[in-house]
Amino acid sequence: MNGITLHKHDLPAGLSFGPLAAVDTETMGLDPRRDRLCLVQLSAGDGTAHLVQIIPEALGGQGANCPNLKALLADPDVTKLFHYGRFDIAALYNALGVLAAPVVCTKIASKLVRTYTDRHGLKELCRDLAGVDISKQQQTSDWGALELTPEQLAYAASDVLYLHTIWERLRGLLAREDRTEIAEAAFAFLPTRAKLDLLGYVDPDLFAH
Ligand code: MN
């Protein structure tokens, strides 16, 4: 498929995503403690995507043995760009034992500056900030399948292909609205927020009364 490369088990050695790597995950569900990590998608913002399929050892895979992917997630010189990173960071930490950092999140940025709307989904940001219409049809498909369909791979890639464009727009809005500093503080806290989720501090939240 055009610009989409599927890797089983790990990224190849020596692959660089530059200083800002868009990252997304697909899992078996919405609970990062319960639902296994199936796919990690990455893009350098160059119109191409690399997808890493995480296959359990019991199914003939290598499980969490993905040193190149882990090194990238932990690399202090590579900022990981997520949309709703709170979930992905928790899922990655739970499955691979590596805490992604440093990170930024387009959903948090959008909530800080696009206060005129309550629509902060990736589909809305792609449409409003990148002029791209992405389909969410495959979102609820079976990501645990050993052979993913071309439709699944295209969908998974679309979740990282436009994040750089969206982020550039949001960065401008954060500066315009004087919310860059509070955004940076929120991003710095995000890995801890994910850890708190895994510890069960979801509802009630740690900060709730
Ligand atoms: Mn996704």
Side-chain angles (χ1 to χ4, degrees), residues 52-98:
V52 181
Q53 191 175 11
I54 304 295
I55 302 166
E57 288 180 39
L59 297 178
Q62 296 179 12
N65 181 22
C66 48
N68 298 327
L69 174 60
K70 287 186 196 178
L72 177 75
L73 292 171
D75 189 337
D77 295 324
V78 179
T79 299
K80 271 64 66 172
L81 166 62
F82 292 96
H83 180 78
Y84 196 50
R86 179 177 173 178
F87 176 83
D88 299 299
I89 295 163
L92 289 164
Y93 187 58
N94 193 53
L96 306 179
V98 63

Side-chain angles (χ1 to χ4, degrees), residues 73-150:
L73 292 171
D75 189 337
D77 295 324
V78 179
T79 299
K80 271 64 66 172
L81 166 62
F82 292 96
H83 180 78
Y84 196 50
R86 179 177 173 178
F87 176 83
D88 299 299
I89 295 163
L92 289 164
Y93 187 58
N94 193 53
L96 306 179
V98 63
L99 196 60
V103 300
V104 294
C105 175
T106 51
K107 188 162 208 152
I108 288 173
S110 178
K111 286 180 170 180
L112 281 170
V113 291
R114 297 172 73 251
T115 40
Y116 48 80
T117 178
D118 60 357
R119 306 196 59 124
H120 304 285
L122 183 62
K123 188 173 172 63
E124 283 76 36
L125 296 191
C126 279
R127 189 192 57 217
D128 295 350
L129 300 177
V132 181
D133 190 31
I134 62 164
S135 163
K136 279 279 162 191
Q137 207 181 344
Q138 296 292 321
Q139 187 165 34
T140 51
S141 64
D142 178 13
W143 293 101
L146 284 178
E147 295 298 327
L148 298 170
T149 67

Side-chain angles (χ1 to χ4, degrees), residues 24-26 41 155 159:
D24 185 40
T25 65
E26 302 302 334
Q41 308 99 279
Y155 163 77
D159 276 355

